[in-house]
Amino acid sequence: MNMGSVFESIVLVAGGLGLFLFGMKMMSSGLQTIAGDRLQNILQKATSNRFLAVIVGIAATIALNSSTASTVMTVSFVNSGLMNLTQAIGIIMGANLGTTLSAQLVAFRIDAYAPIFIFVGIILHVFFKKKRVKDIGFVILGFGILFFGITTMGGPLRGLGNLPAFNEMLVAFQNPFLALLAGFAFTAAVQSSTAATGILVAMYISGVPIPFETGAFIILGTNIGTSITTLIASIPANRASKRAALFHITFDIIGSTVFGTLIFIFPGILGWFQAAWAEPARQIAMFHTLYNSATLLLLLPFASYLAKLMERVIPIVQAEITDATYEKKLLYLDTKLLKTPSIAVFNAHRELCRMGKIANDNLALSLESFFEKDTEKANKAFDNEAIVNYLYQEIASKLVWVNNMTLSNADAEKIGKMFRLLSDIERIGDHAENIAEYTIAAKENDLNFSDAAISELKILGETTVKLANEALYAFEHQDASKLAQVKALEEEVDRLTKEFAESHIDRLKTEDCDPKSGVVFTDMIIDLERCGDHANNIAFSILPDAPIKFAKN
């Protein structure tokens, strides 16, 4: 080959590689959109049962076509407190095995049908209006582009494989350490072991004369390289997430060390692969699968000990034990960690529920301050309201960010509702603040209330607090069975408000009530009634086309 042909081949290989990576990214993104809630539910099935966690990790990785995506999501779950380290370990182990499916698919040599996949994908994605069909078309299009990239690389790679300089480079990579390092570096650069192993299999399909031993050590390196993305993702996260990321790279280093050593001692292992499968591409794909399977079987019995080891390397500190609910910061909506739409939506839901808990607790606290004439509790309520207001601003900002992600129809609907519910929760906080202000006013102006007025306010307050808590529970757990009780409590709040307003007028007529105290009484029952309306909105938001009861501010 002359220099012009070499340059042309390099350009075509680079272009084919770009198409391969782009197609892989399209597939992963499309699958995440289609999976939506189901992906979230799959990951939440992970329990302390390590075997089930492994299965969940395999399923999630196949669903996403990316072990990097599933392990980064796992770090996000650990960071959010949804998953403990033992559960995360099982999922990470399963993800390493699930990612081998892609290499197996590439080895089937269906790249000749790539134009058909591209055609079908474009038809579905461009000419159909239904979003789910368009999303499926997007995935098929990505699948076709991926294999078209392999086709584009095929001829040029065969040509480059005949060059003396290229063969000299391959001779250098016959050094197992250099081969492992090459696999590690390339995977860390593209941030996907699926892409790295897929490209390696494609090179074998193209006839590049890579010794099988070299390919095996490149595979060992790719497994370590994929953990770098997880480590990077854990940098801004909490210490529990860092332990999960540390386990990931430890798991891969142990596996590569053990089986790399075995290959040195027993070279017949590689000979068995070559004897069992005739095609070099299938040999390397099977090595990838069986190596990851063997590493999983080797280390799975020691999962709990590895978890303890990670906790010794990164010890648990007091801050991890302390309840962070009332911290003036976002706990679950860290945009640096949230790259998967369904997980971002789920964590937005968690953050909204946390804000709702603070607002509801503050309503109860402000009522206590009023009835106990406790200005310290009133001041604490003011502090809590400042947290509610902070979360309102921050969550609203993050919801805009999440809304701009590629969301499924269900997730897009959830985000739309969250924008409205954010205001409902914030208004409950405002009304709680009003009640705390009544405490200060009553104390400073020495206001007195009749026993009847206090009794009525206590009854209405208790009913409203119960309504707010039941409504938040229904929203948090998406539990429609609570709606009948919420509706009954909301109607009771309305009834009591009307009844107590009339009783108050009767007391004014008989001069049993101080007019100044009466103003506070009237304002307070209005605040409580409006809290009931907002709570009703929160609960019934779980229904499609939920009715909204508007409350005056």
Side-chain angles (χ1 to χ4, degrees), residues 3-15:
M3 288 302 296
S5 298
V6 171
F7 179 76
E8 183 181 349
S9 295
I10 292 173
V11 170
L12 286 172
V13 169

Side-chain angles (χ1 to χ4, degrees), residues 450 452 456 498-513 521:
S450 66
E456 288 170 352
K498 183 178 179 180
E499 178 185 325
F500 294 159
E502 292 173 354
S503 298
H504 170 61
I505 293 172
D506 291 338
R507 287 193 294 272
L508 285 175
K509 290 178 180 178
T510 58
E511 298 183 348
D512 290 337
C513 179
F521 179 92

Side-chain angles (χ1 to χ4, degrees), residues 154-466:
L157 280 173
R158 279 190 291 273
L160 291 174
N162 295 323
L163 291 175
F166 192 83
N167 281 285
E168 287 176 11
M169 182 183 70
L170 292 179
V171 170
F173 282 134
Q174 288 180 16
N175 180 319
F177 177 77
L178 289 179
L180 188 147
L181 186 61
F184 167 82
F186 184 76
T187 305
V190 300
Q191 297 189 6
S192 173
S193 63
T194 303
T197 53
I199 290 168
L200 179 63
V201 173
M203 291 177 74
Y204 275 101
I205 290 175
S206 302
V208 177
I210 303 174
F212 185 62
E213 182 180 1
T214 299
F217 277 95
I218 289 175
I219 289 292
L220 298 183
T222 62
N223 272 41
I224 301 174
T226 192
S227 60
I228 296 301
T229 306
T230 313
L231 279 177
I232 294 171
S234 73
I235 290 173
N238 59 26
R239 294 169 68 84
S241 301
K242 289 180 173 62
R243 292 185 199 104
L246 179 62
F247 166 77
H248 190 197
I249 193 167
T250 302
F251 175 80
D252 290 329
I253 288 174
I254 292 174
S256 296
T257 302
V258 169
F259 288 97
T261 303
L262 285 175
I263 291 171
F264 265 123
I265 299 174
F266 304 105
I269 294 174
L270 298 182
W272 176 81
F273 279 94
Q274 291 175 299
W277 291 277
E279 294 185 358
R282 182 61 61 190
Q283 292 167 7
I284 204 68
M286 291 306 302
F287 176 81
H288 188 210
T289 298
L290 295 182
Y291 154 68
N292 278 285
S293 300
T295 304
L296 171 63
L297 293 174
L298 174 68
L299 295 180
L300 184 59
F302 305 100
S304 58
Y305 299 103
L306 290 168
K308 291 177 182 177
L309 176 62
M310 297 305 106
E311 289 173 354
R312 289 182 68 88
V313 176
I314 305 177
I316 297 174
V317 296
Q318 185 61 38
E320 295 179 68
I321 303 171
T322 305
D323 184 7
T325 300
Y326 279 81
E327 286 193 29
K328 199 173 182 179
K329 67 177 184 180
L330 295 177
L331 297 183
Y332 311 116
L333 276 175
D334 187 337
T335 54
K336 293 178 182 177
L337 287 174
L338 299 177
K339 304 300 182 184
T340 304
S342 61
I343 305 303
V345 172
F346 181 70
N347 278 12
H349 178 268
R350 294 196 74 207
E351 201 74 72
L352 209 63
C353 291
R354 174 194 165 214
M355 178 183 167
K357 174 174 170 47
I358 296 172
N360 286 359
D361 289 351
N362 213 35
L363 177 61
L365 179 64
S366 64
L367 286 166
E368 287 179 16
S369 75
F370 181 83
F371 296 128
E372 297 172 11
K373 300 180 180 179
D374 189 333
T375 55
E376 286 189 12
K377 286 188 176 181
N379 288 327
K380 177 62 177 173
F382 295 144
D383 292 339
N384 292 342
E385 172 59 9
I387 297 173
V388 172
N389 287 336
Y390 170 84
L391 291 176
Y392 173 78
Q393 297 292 335
E394 291 297 310
I395 294 173
S397 174
K398 299 303 183 186
L399 286 181
V400 171
W401 178 83
V402 175
N403 194 52
N404 287 328
M405 300 176 77
T406 304
L407 301 174
S408 65
N409 287 335
D411 284 340
E413 183 180 350
K414 287 179 182 179
I415 291 297
K417 287 183 177 181
M418 285 183 200
F419 277 111
R420 299 194 297 269
L421 296 183
L422 193 61
S423 295
D424 283 307
I425 295 171
E426 194 269 341
R427 291 302 298 152
I428 290 176
D430 287 344
H431 292 303
E433 182 181 34
N434 291 345
I435 295 170
E437 289 173 350
Y438 304 150
T439 301
I440 302 298
K443 189 86 170 181
E444 290 178 350
N445 298 300
D446 196 25
L447 299 180
N448 293 310
F449 298 84
S450 66
D451 291 342
I454 291 296
S455 176
E456 288 170 352
L457 288 174
K458 283 184 176 180
I459 292 171
L460 182 58
E462 289 171 0
T463 307
T464 305
V465 169
K466 184 177 181 181

Side-chain angles (χ1 to χ4, degrees), residues 457-498:
L457 288 174
K458 283 184 176 180
I459 292 171
L460 182 58
E462 289 171 0
T463 307
T464 305
V465 169
K466 184 177 181 181
L467 166 59
N469 289 334
E470 292 293 335
L472 184 62
Y473 181 92
F475 171 69
E476 182 175 3
H477 299 277
Q478 300 290 290
D479 186 356
S481 68
K482 289 284 184 181
L483 296 183
Q485 184 180 6
V486 168
K487 186 62 178 174
L489 285 169
E490 197 270 337
E491 290 174 350
E492 178 69 1
V493 167
D494 287 347
R495 186 189 69 80
L496 291 174
T497 299
K498 183 178 179 180

Side-chain angles (χ1 to χ4, degrees), residues 21-56:
L21 295 175
F22 181 65
M24 180 116 4
K25 177 65 177 176
M26 286 180 66
M27 281 184 65
S28 181
S29 177
L31 287 167
Q32 288 178 40
T33 302
I34 292 171
D37 291 339
R38 282 170 293 181
L39 174 63
Q40 170 191 312
N41 292 334
I42 286 173
L43 285 171
Q44 284 184 280
K45 295 296 182 182
T47 66
S48 56
N49 183 320
R50 71 190 71 172
F51 300 101
L52 180 57
V54 168
I55 294 171
V56 169

